[in-house]
Amino acid sequence: MSAVEQARAAAAAKKAGAGGGGINKGVVLMVLAALVPFSLPTVALVGFGMLPTLASWATEKGPNKYAFLCVGGLNFAGVFPYLFTLWFGVHTLDEALRMLTDPVMLMTAYGCSAIGWGIYAAMPPMVASYLAATGQRRVNNLKAAQKKLIEDWGDEVAKKG
């Protein structure tokens, strides 16, 4: 059996197995909904602290949500210390609301998301300039190699068919 046939068989087996088995999404959602009253302070803190992530997810178009990943990761990094304090300190709704009205907490969470937006905006031009520079360096190396071949073998190697 060739590698192509093996890949096709594996893809077909995966596709056939995708519908059966696994955990039902409805069951997972029901369990999560049942846990919300016990974790309301956490939900409040994460829900309000992660609003920039929600906004980036809702506004970004296309299948690849890179802004969501970039903003969300840094936004969560800004919320996590306060979430950790809430979990291992006083885990009440009053404490979560006190944290949400703390300007330092809001500046940390939203500032980290702003850094995520900055990275998301700055990376494509930086990657494009890097790729252009490496491409130009490769062209220059190929031209130098071509010139050396012409010197070694003569002009006949440069003529087209």
Side-chain angles (χ1 to χ4, degrees), residues 38 41 54 56 86 89 103 130 157:
F38 300 108
L54 180 65
S56 68
L86 184 67
Y130 171 76
V157 296

Side-chain angles (χ1 to χ4, degrees), residues 118-143:
I119 291 172
Y120 175 72
M123 277 301 126
M126 289 173 60
V127 170
S129 64
Y130 171 76
L131 290 176
T134 57
Q136 187 60 45
R137 185 173 54 238
R138 182 167 163 78
V139 166
N140 291 340
N141 290 341
L142 288 173
K143 284 183 179 180

Side-chain angles (χ1 to χ4, degrees), residues 6-7 30 32 43 48 57 59 63 74 82 86 97 99-100 119 121 125 134 141:
Q6 288 177 350
M30 285 176 31
L32 289 175
V43 171
F48 192 74
W57 176 78
T59 58
L74 286 170
Y82 297 97
L86 184 67
L97 293 176
M99 285 182 179
L100 288 173
I119 291 172
T134 57
N141 290 341

Side-chain angles (χ1 to χ4, degrees), residues 105-126:
M105 184 269 180
L106 292 175
M107 297 248 326
T108 303
Y110 292 168
C112 285
S113 68
I115 292 170
W117 276 114
I119 291 172
Y120 175 72
M123 277 301 126
M126 289 173 60

